[in-house]
């Protein structure tokens, strides 16, 4: 049984749920399926978040060679494994519980393909970069499951992907200040998690059902996105009889104009035109496009 004592009262004003979306499956990549919540037409952008996909992919489907510029992709594996390889020779496999924080910056071309039998599942979040960071050199931060920082208290377990929770800090460097927490609450457990006041924040439920925002709100189940309104932080409660798993993500809004063309995200149309030109001409960060094809495409 879980200790049901109310945790330290750190949240004066709980953030309310202001919008709620169910993420339904759609096709993406080549034969892959994603439940897209942020990035669909009703929710084009939730500053600084561009896309949130809960993906599900089995060989031979996948995400073959494609570019990115102007933002970061954060891939967090829930089940199975994905092999990625890029045009600079960076290659690896991320397994369940592993994290890849990729700063595409001025340009990456890569493939992301299944590395195991069965279904590979995970989350991919696209975080925008401010104008001054859009053309930084690409960078990877990769953390294996065993090295993901974890903490546990009163029936609440947290994996700290970015930022800080229950006194534990992630080593991940976030150019756009970001909090990314993977919570599992035992039955009866409740949680109060501070979030900086000026940040946008959302919850995405992975498993079970939870009460969020205030104790009178109705239970929320898997594949739902909740946008949080203003306040001091998140209040959540598992009053069901099974574990509740969800992610809480917060980020400092950039407050800059956004022009997106698929995997290119810049501030102006001129910068998008320039990006297409750079990509076509293999210049300004896309030099290696000319001679590169992933092994996944050659096999
Ligand atoms: C894509 C641009 C992309 N969601 N979830 C255009 F970047 C992608 C793409 C992904 C993706 C990859 C993974 Cl591993 C997980 C994802 C989009 O690669 F499919 C299109 N069409
Ligand atoms: Fe990609």
């Amino acid at each position: 049984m879980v200790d049901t004592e109310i945790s330290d009262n750190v949240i004066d004003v709980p953030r309310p749920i202001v919008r709620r979306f169910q993420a339904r499956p759609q096709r993406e990549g080549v034969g892959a399926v994603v439940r897209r919540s942020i990035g669909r037409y009703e929710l084009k952008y939730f500053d600084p978040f561009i896309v949130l996909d809960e993906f599900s992919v089995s060989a031979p489907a996948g995400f073959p060679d494609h570019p990115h510029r102007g933002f970061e992709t954060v891939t967090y594996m829930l089940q199975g494994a994905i092999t990625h390889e890029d045009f600079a020779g960076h290659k690896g496999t991320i397994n369940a519980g592993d994290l890849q924080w990729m700063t595409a910056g001025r340009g990456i071309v890569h493939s992301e393909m299944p590395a195991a039998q069965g279904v590979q599942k995970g989350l991919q979040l696209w975080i925008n970069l401010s104008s001054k960071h859009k053309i930084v050199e690409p960078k990877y931060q990769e953390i294996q499951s065993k090295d993901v920082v974890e903490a546990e208290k009163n029936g609440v377990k947290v994996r700290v992907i970015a930022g800080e929770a229950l006194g534990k800090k992630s080593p991940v460097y976030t150019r756009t200040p970001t909090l990314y927490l993977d919570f599992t609450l035992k039955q009866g457990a409740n949680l109060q998690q501070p979030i900086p006041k000026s940040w946008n924040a959302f919850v995405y439920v992975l498993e079970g059902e939870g009460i969020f925002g205030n104790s009178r709100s109705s239970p929320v189940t898997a594949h739902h996105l909740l946008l949080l309104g203003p306040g001091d932080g998140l209040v959540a409660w598992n009053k069901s009889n099974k574990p509740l798993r969800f992610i809480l993500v917060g980020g400092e809004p950039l407050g800059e104009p956004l022009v997106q063309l698929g995997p290119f995200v810049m501030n102006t149309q001129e910068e998008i035109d320039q990006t297409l030109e750079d990509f076509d001409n293999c210049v300004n960060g896309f030099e290696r496009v000319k001679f590169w094809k992933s092994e996944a495409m050659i096999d």
Side-chain angles (χ1 to χ4, degrees), residues 28-29 34 36 53 55 63 66-68 75 82 112 124 126 263:
E28 190 49 284
V34 301
R36 180 161 296 168
D53 279 353
F55 62 90
F63 304 93
H66 60 276
H68 295 278
T75 308
I82 292 277
E112 295 153 290
Q124 190 171 89
W126 294 10

Side-chain angles (χ1 to χ4, degrees), residues 68-71 128 134-135 257-280 286:
H68 295 278
R69 176 184 273 182
F71 60 100
N128 204 2
K134 281 190 179 295
I135 54 166
L258 173 135
V259 182
Q260 178 177 6
L261 184 70
F264 302 130
V265 182
M266 303 302 287
N267 296 110
T268 65
Q269 186 57 48
E270 289 65 39
E271 289 167 349
I272 289 290
D273 295 343
Q274 182 66 51
T275 299
L276 290 173
E277 226 178 284
D278 291 346
F279 185 60
D280 287 345
F286 289 118

Side-chain angles (χ1 to χ4, degrees), residues 104-151:
R106 66 202 299 247
I108 286 276
V109 179
H110 71 168
S111 71
E112 295 153 290
M113 302 298 284
Q117 299 292 308
V119 188
Q120 338 300 316
K121 291 187 182 180
L123 297 168
Q124 190 171 89
L125 176 68
W126 294 10
I127 307 175
N128 204 2
L129 288 166
S130 70
S131 57
K132 65 174 186 290
H133 288 138
K134 281 190 179 295
I135 54 166
V136 296
E137 284 301 311
K139 173 188 163 104
Y140 290 89
Q141 300 176 79
E142 280 159 328
I143 301 187
Q144 288 187 3
S145 188
K146 64 175 172 52
D147 298 321
V148 171
V149 170
E150 293 188 352

Side-chain angles (χ1 to χ4, degrees), residues 47 69 98 114 157 208 250 292:
D47 191 1
R69 176 184 273 182
D98 296 355
K157 184 187 129 186
W292 183 79

